[in-house]
């Protein structure tokens, strides 16, 4: 049984968007703070810090989760994907980013990384969602600029783009 | 906000968790999915000395199809149970309730047993445990005991689980032939806690209705027979007996009205087919 002392800083090794990363965390350090302050991946945003707003959504071992409801030490050994990993290899927008760009699906942009990471998993599970299904899937992400209409359209456009891409590669 | 400092133990087996709880008692807390505990830690509503993480224990991550029941281990997530292929046939009311438990992102980590142990009065899984008369298996250094649903949840965020005990699995009775179920809830936004949630079960003439969000825990009412013209009076009596109160989300009167309306819809749905059809 491994006990991590509250006052110690303990090594955390994880894979972030395919690259190995390493840092140190007290047991109480949230994954959000580890990503932003230890690793320097500040694309993951922090707002409510109690799991309500979805701004900090990242993918851990493929699943979209709230990074504020997870300790950094729990992520030791995990594969993590964040907004920084959504762009294409040449730096251009990926399909989700492109759809948000074209639909004006962001105003201030603070909530956007969370929406994209939620959709990133959801559209793998449900590649051809209805408007109602997208609304339910996105109900766990809050946008205070009230841009939901455009976000829903962007989600539908992204789903279409991802389906077309899959057809080309299958 | 950030949690207050604590020691963190990654349990490598169930005995690790039991040993830490035996040593620290109510100074220790079990962490599984963390979707109820982490918000409370972040807001410093709880300040344990030590957290014991059982989320990575493979033995607890199993859904076991037993002959009459389904045993759900303490590390099984709500999303994992929702993806279980036999869920709709074995536990139709749970299949109907799970999409209402938080959001898919919280269901990806939140555990079934964690939700039962958190014991929010308006939460869906404790409601299912109550309706189905399931049970929770508790382990401690003193031994193992199994607590039936009616004895497990005592009140708001309060269960029979002692500070040195860990909930290892929940057992839910499987749907039998001829049983029909329905689940309905009213919430202000999708994924919020229910203002009122109801789950109904019909077996022959007998009807059971579990109601969450009104009393300080889910309550179940049984009727040996409930003809259509008796439903409104029965639900009116139940709505008053549950003794709901006003809060920021709804008035007691609104809750009584929701019990009458959702209760009738759920009971009628079991007659027409419902989730078990």
């Amino acid at each position: 049984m491994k006990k991590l002392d509250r006052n110690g800083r303990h090594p955390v090794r994880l894979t972030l968007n395919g690259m190995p990363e390493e840092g140190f965390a007290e047991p109480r350090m949230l994954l959000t703070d580890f990503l932003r302050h230890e690793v320097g991946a500040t694309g993951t945003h922090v707002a409510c810090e109690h799991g309500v707003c979805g701004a900090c959504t990242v993918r851990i071992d493929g699943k979209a989760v709230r990074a504020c409801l997870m300790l950094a030490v729990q992520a030791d050994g995990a594969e993590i994907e964040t907004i920084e990993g959504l762009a294409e290899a040449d730096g251009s927008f990926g399909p989700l980013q492109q759809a948000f760009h074209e639909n004006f699906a962001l105003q201030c942009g603070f909530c956007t990384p969370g929406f994209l990471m939620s959709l990133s998993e959801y559209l793998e599970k449900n590649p051809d969602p209805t408007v109602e299904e997208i609304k339910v899937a996105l109900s766990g992400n809050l946008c205070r600029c009230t841009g939901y209409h455009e976000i829903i359209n962007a989600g539908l456009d992204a789903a279409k783009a991802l389906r077309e891409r899959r057809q080309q590669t299958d | 906000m950030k949690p207050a400092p604590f020691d963190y133990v990654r349990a490598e087996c169930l005995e690790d968790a039991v040993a830490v709880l035996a040593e620290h008692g109510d100074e220790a807390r079990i962490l599984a999915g963390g979707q109820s505990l982490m918000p409370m830690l972040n807001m410093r509503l709880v300040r344990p000395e030590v957290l014991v993480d059982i989320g990575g224990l493979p033995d607890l991550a199993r859904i076991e199809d037993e002959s009459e029941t389904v045993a759900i281990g303490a590390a099984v997530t709500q999303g994992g149970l929702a993806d279980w292929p036999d869920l709709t046939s074995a536990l139709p009311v749970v299949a109907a309730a799970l999409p209402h438990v938080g959001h898919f992102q919280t269901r990806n980590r939140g555990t079934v047993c964690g939700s039962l142990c958190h014991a929010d009065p308006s939460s869906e899984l404790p409601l299912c445990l109550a309706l189905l008369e399931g049970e929770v298996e508790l382990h401690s250094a003193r031994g193992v005991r199994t607590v039936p649903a009616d004895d497990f949840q005592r009140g708001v965020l309060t269960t029979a689980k002692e500070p040195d005990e860990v909930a290892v699995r929940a057992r839910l009775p499987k749907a039998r032939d001829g049983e029909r179920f329905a689940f309905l809830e009213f919430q202000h936004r999708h994924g919020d806690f229910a203002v009122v949630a109801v789950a109904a079960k019909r077996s022959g003439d007998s009807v059971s209705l579990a109601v969450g969000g009104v009393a300080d825990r889910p309550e179940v009412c049984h009727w040996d027979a409930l003809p259509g013209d008796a439903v409104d009076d029965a639900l009116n009596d139940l709505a008053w007996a549950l003794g709901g109160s006003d809060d920021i989300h709804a008035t007691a009167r609104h809750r009584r009205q929701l019990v009458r309306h959702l209760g009738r819809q759920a009971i009628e749905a079991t007659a027409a087919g419902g989730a078990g059809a």
Side-chain angles (χ1 to χ4, degrees):
Chain A
M1 164 166 52
K2 197 172 168 188
K3 184 171 185 175
L4 305 182
D5 182 80
R6 70 190 63 194
N7 297 314
R9 282 166 53 79
H10 308 279
V12 175
R13 295 180 188 86
L14 46 79
T15 306
L16 181 64
N17 301 317
M19 301 290 286
E21 292 283 355
E22 194 174 334
F24 291 87
E26 290 175 25
R28 67 175 179 141
M29 184 179 236
L30 303 176
L31 179 59
T32 41
D33 291 328
F34 182 81
L35 290 173
R36 291 176 58 85
H37 303 307
E38 276 289 302
V39 177
T42 53
T44 301
H45 290 171
V46 180
C48 77
E49 247 177 13
H50 63 281
V52 173
C53 76
C56 67
T57 306
V58 302
R59 293 181 71 176
I60 298 179
D61 299 327
K63 304 270 190 195
V65 305
R66 315 289 209 214
C68 75
L69 296 188
M70 188 160 170
L71 302 169
V73 291
Q74 288 183 288
D76 191 32
E79 300 250 351
I80 300 192
E81 295 159 76
T82 62
I83 185 72
E84 286 92 346
L86 281 189
E88 303 291 340
D90 65 2
S92 62
F93 284 159
L96 275 163
Q97 293 167 307
Q98 188 65 32
F100 270 62
H101 175 68
E102 287 173 1
N103 284 277
F104 299 98
L106 56 149
Q107 291 181 43
C108 83
F110 189 88
C111 66
T112 310
F115 273 97
L116 293 180
M117 297 317 291
S118 288
L119 281 170
S120 156
E121 185 203 346
Y122 181 72
L123 296 180
E124 285 175 12
K125 289 191 304 191
N126 184 4
D128 194 4
T130 64
V131 171
E132 277 311 307
E133 287 169 341
I134 282 263
K135 282 184 183 174
V136 170
L138 292 179
S139 63
N141 290 82
L142 300 183
C143 168
R144 293 291 84 154
C145 303
T146 67
Y148 294 113
H149 187 71
E150 289 75 13
I151 292 171
I152 291 158
N153 287 340
L156 293 169
D157 273 9
K160 187 159 173 274
L162 289 164
R163 286 198 305 275
E164 286 169 1
R165 170 178 285 205
R166 208 162 293 134
Q167 277 174 353
Q168 283 163 11
T169 53
D170 276 353
Chain B
M1 280 176 63
K2 319 292 180 189
F6 48 76
D7 296 333
Y8 170 87
V9 174
R10 185 176 298 123
E12 280 156 19
C13 56
L14 181 58
E15 290 70 29
D16 284 352
V18 167
V20 173
L21 291 179
E23 185 185 344
H24 295 276
D26 60 6
E27 300 282 297
R29 292 296 283 261
I30 294 285
L31 174 65
Q35 303 301 289
S36 303
L37 180 59
M38 286 299 304
M40 296 204 297
L41 288 168
N42 289 359
M43 292 189 277
R44 302 200 179 192
L45 296 172
V46 290
R47 291 173 174 235
E49 293 294 314
V50 53
L51 280 189
V52 192
D53 190 350
I54 61 166
L57 293 180
D59 286 355
L60 301 188
R62 282 204 288 265
I63 301 166
E64 287 164 287
D65 193 341
E66 300 168 337
S67 60
E68 304 275 307
T69 57
V70 179
I72 301 161
V76 173
T77 62
Q78 296 143 9
L81 183 60
D83 290 342
W84 184 48
D86 298 336
L87 185 67
T88 308
S89 57
L91 300 170
V93 74
V94 177
L98 271 174
H100 298 274
V101 179
H103 304 282
F104 85 87
Q105 300 93 331
T106 60
R107 294 194 293 272
N108 276 342
R109 280 192 69 75
T111 62
V112 174
C113 289
S115 184
L116 300 177
C117 291
H118 185 59
D120 189 291
S122 56
S123 163
E124 293 83 1
L125 291 169
L127 184 75
C128 294
L129 183 79
L131 178 79
L132 298 176
E133 300 180 71
E135 58 191 30
V136 180
E137 187 180 305
L138 302 172
H139 290 229
S140 71
R142 296 174 288 125
V144 178
R145 66 183 179 128
T146 297
V147 181
D150 191 39
D151 295 331
F152 183 70
Q153 187 161 351
R154 296 254 168 97
V156 180
L157 310 186
T158 311
T159 68
K161 185 171 72 66
E162 297 292 339
D164 67 338
E165 288 180 310
V166 51
V168 168
R169 55 183 63 86
R171 277 201 182 78
L172 297 175
K174 282 155 70 170
R176 296 184 194 89
D177 285 346
E179 288 181 342
R180 292 173 180 277
F181 296 89
F183 175 90
L184 289 168
E185 76 173 45
F186 175 80
Q187 55 198 180
H188 290 298
R189 287 164 300 269
H190 182 86
D192 281 7
F193 277 111
V195 175
V196 172
V198 298
K201 174 176 137 180
R202 182 185 293 270
S203 178
D205 288 338
S206 82
V207 173
S208 303
L209 185 73
V211 181
V214 185
D216 63 359
R217 63 170 203 163
E219 294 289 352
V220 187
C221 196
H222 301 278
W223 296 276
D224 288 337
L226 191 60
D229 58 2
V231 172
D232 283 341
D233 283 346
L235 288 172
N236 185 50
D237 291 346
L238 175 61
W240 283 100
L242 289 170
S245 53
D246 296 349
D247 66 18
I248 192 172
H249 302 295
T251 60
R253 186 164 178 242
H254 186 193
R255 287 193 160 86
R256 286 193 294 275
Q257 199 65 351
L258 285 168
V259 172
R260 296 181 189 109
H261 282 266
L262 293 176
R264 174 171 261 286
Q265 285 174 39
I267 289 168
E268 285 176 351
T270 60

